[in-house]
Amino acid sequence: MLWNLKESAVPLAGGSMDYAVFGYGNKPFVIIGGLSLRDVRGAGAGLALMYRMFAKEYRVYVFDKPSDIAEDCTTADLAEDTAAAMEALGIADACVMGVSLGGMIAQELAIRHPELVKKLVLCVTASRVNDTMTAVVGNWIALAEKGDFGGIVADMMDVMYSERYVRRYGWMFPLLAKFAKPKNELRFIRLAKACLTCNAYDRLEMITCPTLVLGGADDSIVTGEASFEIARKCGCSYHLYEGLGHAAYEEAADFNDRIKQFADEPIVTEVEK
């Protein structure tokens, strides 16, 4: 299989968690994705292609969310599920990358299970709920409850991508909207509601591992300020892409390069200093 790819699932209490794993290295790299209408299952080849630069040196695990989501699920709950999956697979001291909702989960993971996280990358995410998030995600929840997933895709495309990207690829958006429907509608709604429970801001000082924050200055979902305030509170390296929004991780040509450079850098201890 290309890039040594496989897809599987790890059992959890009351359910399971799908994941894709690829790469030839022995250093663990964990990716936690954001809120999506698509599942990780069946998407492994595309994910391996997107993150192929990590395949030579790392064993990359891309985790989905649990198969069963409780009605009152929080980002902290999702972090505990991710920790259980990592422990079941024998993953520790990993470079953990979280995107959007995945970044909210990754913050909780680093705070609650520091032994699992050697380095942390937080992409287009937030540490606490703001008015922009409440409005945008609340709209998606309302559309999902009406079964209008085409409307969700149309809105996501509108608020996520830059004008230049829309001019180039906007012709595809109606096609995507036409086929947009998650396998489990209630699961999507509960995960969307979980986005609005993130509250790690007052505990960010508890993250002790090296951290990198990447965001879009024009993010219309979590805001660019949300990325900046995480970096400011953690006192860590960060970069905001001017002219890009929530989809900076797809649009910025050097996005993965920045992450790999950070992941590859040796950790300098106080003794070594």
Side-chain angles (χ1 to χ4, degrees):
M1 184 68 71
L2 193 62
W3 294 298
N4 198 23
L5 168 70
K6 77 168 185 176
E7 295 184 6
S8 188
V10 58
L12 297 176
S16 63
M17 182 181 288
D18 289 336
Y19 68 94
V21 56
F22 62 91
Y24 305 97
N26 54 17
K27 295 185 290 185
F29 190 101
V30 169
I31 299 175
I32 310 171
L35 178 68
S36 176
L37 294 169
R38 292 191 61 192
D39 297 331
V40 168
R41 182 178 292 274
L47 291 165
L49 177 64
M50 184 174 184
Y51 297 108
R52 61 190 179 280
M53 69 166 53
F54 298 91
K56 183 177 180 181
E57 300 171 58
Y58 294 88
R59 189 68 172 152
V60 182
Y61 297 82
V62 185
F63 286 106
D64 206 334
K65 314 306 178 292
S67 57
D68 297 316
I69 303 295
E71 183 176 2
D72 57 351
C73 176
T74 67
T75 53
D77 295 328
L78 295 171
E80 292 298 333
D81 290 325
T82 304
M86 290 176 66
E87 290 168 351
L89 295 173
I91 304 170
D93 287 329
C95 182
V96 175
M97 168 185 166
V99 180
S100 193
L101 170 57
M104 302 171 195
I105 296 168
Q107 291 168 60
E108 292 286 354
L109 183 69
I111 291 169
R112 294 164 174 267
H113 298 276
E115 73 283 358
L116 299 181
V117 185
K118 186 175 183 179
K119 289 186 176 184
L120 181 65
V121 185
L122 301 174
C123 306
V124 293
T125 193
S127 60
R128 56 183 174 181
V129 179
N130 57 51
D131 291 342
T132 300
M133 286 174 58
T134 299
V136 174
V137 178
N139 181 48
W140 294 346
I141 293 169
L143 289 171
E145 288 175 339
K146 293 189 296 184
D148 186 5
F149 290 94
I152 293 174
V153 171
D155 190 66
M156 283 183 172
M157 298 302 152
D158 184 52
V159 298
M160 284 182 64
Y161 294 96
S162 66
E163 291 183 9
R164 183 177 63 179
Y165 187 94
V166 172
R167 285 197 302 270
R168 181 176 298 180
Y169 300 109
W171 60 272
M172 295 190 302
F173 294 173
L175 296 175
L176 295 173
K178 184 176 181 180
F179 296 102
K181 187 175 181 181
K183 294 178 182 178
N184 187 326
E185 298 178 16
L186 181 59
R187 179 173 177 268
F188 174 86
I189 292 169
R190 289 179 175 179
L191 285 172
K193 289 181 178 179
C195 292
L196 301 179
T197 69
C198 72
N199 65 347
Y201 180 78
D202 291 333
R203 294 172 289 126
L204 288 177
E205 295 93 340
M206 296 173 66
I207 298 176
T208 58
C209 62
T211 302
L212 171 67
V213 176
L214 298 175
D218 299 334
D219 194 320
S220 298
I221 298 178
V222 299
T223 74
E225 173 61 25
S227 292
F228 177 69
E229 71 175 11
I230 294 172
R232 182 178 57 207
K233 193 78 179 289
C234 290
C236 66
S237 301
Y238 73 97
H239 181 79
L240 293 182
Y241 286 92
E242 296 295 333
L244 295 182
H246 200 69
Y249 64 96
E250 291 186 27
E251 294 192 58
D254 66 343
F255 202 90
N256 288 345
D257 293 309
R258 289 180 182 273
I259 295 169
K260 189 170 187 302
Q261 180 180 355
F262 172 75
D264 290 347
E265 288 174 351
I267 296 176
V268 179
T269 66
E270 290 297 324
V271 173
E272 291 172 327
K273 291 179 183 179

